[in-house]
């Protein structure tokens, strides 16, 4: 009998496969394709203290091996999330992780307070969105800013705090260490890599915003390297993501040192992707003789 459960900061997940923030809005769209109770957890789209409009269209573009997006964290705010989306998700036997965003430290602290005493399992602090002009990635690319925002949110949070790191840095372990020192209970990585698409015929950028975040299989080698580096340097559980399409991809992240994984862009291609990753990972464990997730370890020699 295979036990796929994992524990992250005291929270038990039935399996290590979550949905990646922003690619699974409220879950309603995917619930038509598979039973969300199969998921280890749902990480919801970024939620801010008040509604955000997001960036103008076009804000997604297909590129080789993935996509670019400049959605800009459009969302209806914490009040609406608590009223409309959380009760729906709570009908399923899965963990609910709320991704939070803000332009300033005060806004991050405010949304954290709005979510106090709510029926959610964990918070994921997004300090790594490349698509907002203030806040977002600016926090996640500077260790002292990272420490300040993590400390403020950790103080206001009544749930374990995952800090989501940006790959748009020279040394990710420096930011991870700052987050760990300021009160993070876990880390998730990677968010999207800043990129650009240009239409040679119109001679214009494809995205209205100019730049956008690259995700999908194209980023997987970068994500694996960063998970590996972070796992070796910092003693916190890691949720790994970036281009996971199959159970084998998920296994690679666990081998790199992640305790759990998240599936994002794959869901746009195949709405059952996250469920397929769970089945694929279970097959991998059976074939390789693993009975538990922590047994999945890399061999070095
Ligand atoms: C359309 C879109 C929206 C996203 N929105 C968010 C978000 O709101 N908050 C966040 O932390 N990450 C967001 N992300 C990043 C993903 O959660 C994930 O970190 C990244 O896409 C890499 O995983 P993937 O290659 O499996 O998609 C978004 C990604 C996409 C493609």
């Amino acid at each position: 009998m295979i036990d796929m459960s994992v524990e992250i900061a005291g929270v038990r997940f039935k399996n290590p496969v979550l949905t990646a923030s922003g690619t699974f809005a409220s879950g309603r769209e995917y619930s038509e394709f598979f039973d969300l109770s199969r998921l280890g957890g749902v990480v919801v789209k970024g939620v801010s203290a008040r509604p955000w409009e997001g960036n103008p269209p076009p804000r997604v573009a297909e590129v080789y091996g993935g996509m670019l997006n400049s959605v800009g964290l459009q969302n209806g705010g914490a009040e609406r999330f608590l009223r409309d989306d959380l009760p729906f998700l709570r009908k399923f036997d899965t963990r609910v992780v709320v991704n939070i965003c803000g332009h300033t430290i005060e806004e991050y602290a405010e949304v954290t307070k709005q979510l106090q005493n709510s029926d959610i399992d964990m918070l994921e602090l997004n300090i790594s969105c490349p698509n907002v002009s203030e806040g977002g990635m600016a926090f996640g690319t500077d260790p002292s800013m990272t420490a300040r925002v993590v400390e403020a949110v950790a103080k206001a949070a009544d749930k374990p705090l995952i800090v989501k790191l940006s790959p748009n840095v020279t040394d990710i372990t420096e930011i991870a260490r700052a987050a760990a020192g300021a009160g993070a209970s876990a880390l998730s990585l990677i968010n999207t890599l800043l990129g650009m698409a240009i239409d040679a015929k119109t001679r214009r950028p494809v995205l209205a915003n100019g730049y956008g975040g690259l995700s999908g299989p194209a980023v997987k080698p970068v994500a694996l390297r960063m998970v590996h580096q972070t796992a070796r340097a910092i003693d916190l559980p890691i949720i790994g993501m970036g281009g996971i399409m199959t159970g084998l991809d998920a296994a690679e992240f666990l081998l790199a040192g992640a305790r759990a994984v998240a599936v994002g862009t794959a869901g746009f291609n195949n709405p059952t992707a996250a469920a397929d990753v769970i089945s694929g990972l279970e097959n991998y464990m059976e074939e390789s003789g693993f009975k538990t997730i922590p047994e999945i370890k890399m061999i070095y020699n």
Side-chain angles (χ1 to χ4, degrees), residues 116-134:
Q116 277 173 353
N117 305 314
S118 68
D119 187 20
I120 64 172
D121 294 297
M122 294 181 100
L123 288 168
E124 180 180 60
L125 172 59
N126 179 9
I127 51 166
S128 46
C129 181
N131 299 318
V132 290
S133 50
E134 299 160 68

Side-chain angles (χ1 to χ4, degrees), residues 19-24 43-47 59-60 65-75 99-101 124-131 164-165 167 188-193 213-220 223 240-245 253 262-268:
T19 59
S21 178
T23 61
F24 200 92
V43 183
V44 304
K45 189 168 168 44
V47 172
R59 50 190 198 174
V60 290
M67 64 182 277
L68 285 169
N69 91 83
S70 59
V71 173
L73 301 176
Q74 180 179 346
N75 79 97
N99 182 279
I100 56 169
C101 51
E124 180 180 60
L125 172 59
N126 179 9
I127 51 166
S128 46
C129 181
N131 299 318
K164 183 155 178 184
L165 304 179
S188 58
L189 59 144
I190 59 172
N191 207 316
T192 53
L193 272 158
L214 178 66
S215 62
V219 309
K220 194 181 76 169
M241 73 202 78
I244 296 177
M245 307 293 279
F253 276 84
V263 179
T265 300
F268 294 132

Side-chain angles (χ1 to χ4, degrees), residues 4-298:
M4 292 185 83
S5 69
V6 291
E7 198 194 293
I8 299 172
V11 179
R12 188 146 281 279
F13 293 75
K14 66 169 79 165
N15 66 59
V17 181
L18 289 73
T19 59
S21 178
T23 61
F24 200 92
S26 66
R28 282 184 182 83
E29 60 290 35
Y30 287 105
S31 67
E32 293 169 20
F33 294 96
F34 69 94
D35 178 4
L36 302 188
S37 298
R38 288 192 62 198
L39 294 168
V42 169
V43 183
V44 304
K45 189 168 168 44
V47 172
S48 48
R50 278 168 296 282
W52 281 14
E53 273 203 2
N55 292 321
R59 50 190 198 174
V60 290
E62 240 182 90
V63 296
Y64 290 126
M67 64 182 277
L68 285 169
N69 91 83
S70 59
V71 173
L73 301 176
Q74 180 179 346
N75 79 97
E79 232 180 81
R80 201 175 97 187
F81 167 76
L82 290 170
R83 190 188 60 223
D84 297 344
D85 295 338
L86 187 58
F88 172 78
L89 286 171
R90 272 299 169 219
K91 290 195 235 156
F92 300 92
D93 176 22
T94 190
R95 295 295 187 189
V96 176
V97 179
V98 179
N99 182 279
I100 56 169
C101 51
H103 296 108
T104 60
I105 291 185
E106 291 69 33
E107 280 186 25
Y108 276 108
E110 192 182 342
V111 65
T112 309
K113 285 194 190 116
Q114 287 171 303
L115 294 166
Q116 277 173 353
N117 305 314
S118 68
D119 187 20
I120 64 172
D121 294 297
M122 294 181 100
L123 288 168
E124 180 180 60
L125 172 59
N126 179 9
I127 51 166
S128 46
C129 181
N131 299 318
V132 290
S133 50
E134 299 160 68
M137 195 170 83
F139 285 104
T141 52
D142 178 292
S144 65
M145 298 252 295
T146 296
R148 280 174 54 207
V149 67
V150 172
E151 202 177 305
V153 170
K155 211 184 278 168
D158 60 355
K159 303 285 187 313
L161 181 64
I162 305 163
V163 176
K164 183 155 178 184
L165 304 179
S166 171
N168 301 301
V169 293
T170 312
D171 179 3
I172 195 154
T173 64
E174 196 188 16
I175 309 289
R177 204 167 281 114
S185 319
L187 302 170
S188 58
L189 59 144
I190 59 172
N191 207 316
T192 53
L193 272 158
L194 194 58
M196 183 178 197
I198 296 174
D199 184 329
K201 296 222 170 84
T202 64
R203 292 182 281 134
R204 290 194 165 82
V206 174
L207 298 172
N209 211 35
Y211 304 146
L214 178 66
S215 62
V219 309
K220 194 181 76 169
V222 177
L224 282 172
R225 184 263 297 176
M226 288 189 155
V227 166
H228 189 254
Q229 280 181 320
T230 308
R232 293 193 132 195
I234 284 82
D235 193 19
L236 280 183
I238 292 173
I239 302 169
M241 73 202 78
I244 296 177
M245 307 293 279
T246 66
L248 280 186
D249 293 333
E252 291 170 21
F253 276 84
L254 299 177
L255 288 164
R259 190 169 301 175
V261 298
V263 179
T265 300
F268 294 132
N269 243 349
N270 164 21
T272 64
D276 297 346
V277 166
I278 298 168
S279 313
L281 182 60
E282 196 174 9
N283 289 343
Y284 169 79
M285 291 176 74
E286 246 164 41
E287 282 163 15
S288 315
F290 294 123
K291 298 249 173 325
T292 66
I293 297 289
E295 288 170 35
I296 304 176
K297 289 239 164 65
M298 193 124 88

